């Protein structure tokens, strides 16, 4: 039975799962959810994710939501197929992957989400972005990217010399971020910029980022 992903192409969380699936070379079916019409807040979608957020995921009898959890599941189940995204053959390396996945989830996601909402989403509804909010969140993001710059001066990827979920999980937000006037936060940091150029040019990233469409 084919893997089914219920989501939306513009959704960063949906893209996160699709990139993982492509890295693994797995077949899947994307079932579009009309978020503009509020389908994610109604049945039958709520039976798949009671929190009304995309994506929802089914693999046979397995039903999951939360993109990062889905990717961990895929990486563990299919660790011998495609890219080993958890670096599972080394306890130390896999621990570093987990560490930097936590950094992405708890330190990168929040400021980048707020910035993208202010710059991209809010103007779509005819409202002006709050420049003070953007400035505050850019300051937070800048401090974090300074840490990344130091880390990436010592290793090619966040968890070491091999690409992993720690890197992949950043990609969807950065696809949009790099189209904004704030992209210099990445390009002005040489090691962060080189890292982004690398991970953004991977075939799986190129394939899925080409389908990501803004609201």
């Amino acid at each position: 039975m084919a893997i089914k992903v219920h989501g939306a192409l513009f959704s960063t969380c949906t893209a996160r799962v699709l990139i993982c699936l492509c890295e693994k070379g797995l077949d899947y079916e994307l079932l579009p959810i009309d978020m503009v019409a509020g389908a994610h807040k109604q049945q039958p979608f709520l039976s798949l994710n009671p929190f009304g957020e995309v994506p929802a995921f089914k693999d046979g009898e397995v039903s999951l939501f939360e993109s990062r959890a889905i990717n961990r599941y895929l990486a563990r189940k299919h660790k011998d197929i495609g890219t080993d995204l958890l670096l599972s053959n080394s306890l130390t390396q896999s621990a570093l992957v987990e560490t930097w996945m936590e950094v992405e989830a708890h330190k990168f996601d929040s400021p980048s989400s707020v910035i993208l909402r202010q710059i991209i989403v809010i103007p779509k509804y005819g409202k002006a972005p709050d420049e003070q909010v953007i400035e505050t969140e850019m300051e937070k993001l800048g401090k974090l990217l300074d840490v990344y710059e130091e880390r990436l001066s010592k290793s090619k990827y966040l968890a070491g010399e091999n690409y992993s979920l720690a890197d992949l999980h950043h990609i969807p937000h950065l696809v949009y971020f790099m189209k904004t006037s704030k992209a210099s936060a990445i390009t002005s940091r040489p090691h962060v910029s080189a890292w982004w150029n690398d991970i953004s040019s991977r075939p799986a990233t190129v394939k899925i980022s080409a389908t990501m469409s803004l609201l």
Side-chain angles (χ1 to χ4, degrees):
M1 184 178 296
I3 291 171
K4 298 182 186 299
V5 180
H6 303 255
L9 287 175
F10 64 79
S11 158
T12 54
C13 291
T14 300
R16 188 175 290 120
V17 172
L18 298 184
I19 293 171
C20 183
L21 285 163
C22 289
E23 285 285 350
K24 287 295 182 181
L26 298 170
D27 293 331
Y28 65 89
E29 180 182 3
L30 176 63
L31 301 173
I33 301 298
D34 188 348
M35 296 180 69
V36 175
H40 57 307
K41 300 296 185 182
Q42 305 169 28
Q43 294 293 356
F45 185 81
L46 289 175
S47 66
L48 299 171
N49 184 348
F51 298 104
E53 299 171 342
V54 296
F57 171 95
K58 286 191 71 69
D59 180 16
E61 297 301 314
V62 176
S63 182
L64 300 171
F65 49 87
E66 296 295 341
S67 61
R68 295 170 183 84
I70 294 167
N71 283 357
R72 283 182 170 92
Y73 164 81
L74 290 168
R76 290 184 179 120
K77 180 177 180 179
H78 302 286
K79 69 183 185 67
D80 296 324
I81 299 175
T83 308
D84 180 5
L85 293 169
L86 288 174
L87 307 184
S88 54
N89 290 328
S90 165
L91 177 61
T92 300
Q93 288 295 300
S94 63
L96 285 170
V97 174
E98 293 287 347
T99 297
W100 286 96
M101 281 197 290
E102 290 294 304
V103 173
E104 184 276 330
H106 298 293
K107 299 186 185 300
F108 175 83
D109 183 81
S110 178
S112 61
S113 292
V114 173
I115 292 163
L116 292 178
R117 177 171 177 77
Q118 288 293 328
I119 294 178
I120 297 176
V121 179
I122 287 178
K124 295 288 183 181
Y125 293 93
K127 298 180 180 179
D130 188 324
E131 296 297 335
Q132 183 58 54
V133 170
I134 295 173
E135 182 180 347
T136 298
E137 298 305 316
M138 282 299 301
E139 183 176 354
K140 293 177 186 176
L141 184 61
K143 290 178 179 178
L144 177 64
L145 291 174
D146 287 342
V147 175
Y148 281 35
E149 179 70 10
E150 173 65 18
R151 172 62 181 170
L152 293 165
S153 72
K154 299 174 181 176
S155 61
K156 186 175 182 179
Y157 300 103
L158 288 172
E161 297 307 313
N162 296 290
Y163 178 76
S164 72
L165 286 183
D167 309 293
L168 186 158
H169 284 179
H170 290 78
I171 291 172
H173 277 198
L174 286 174
V175 166
Y176 286 144
F177 185 85
M178 295 305 291
K179 297 177 181 179
T180 75
S181 61
K182 304 300 182 182
S184 61
I186 300 296
T187 58
S188 65
R189 294 171 168 85
H191 295 98
V192 174
S193 183
W195 168 73
W196 169 245
N197 289 337
D198 182 300
I199 66 176
S200 65
S201 64
R202 294 179 67 85
T205 305
V206 172
K207 178 181 179 179
I208 300 306
S209 62
T211 70
M212 293 172 68
S213 55
L214 300 177
L215 280 168

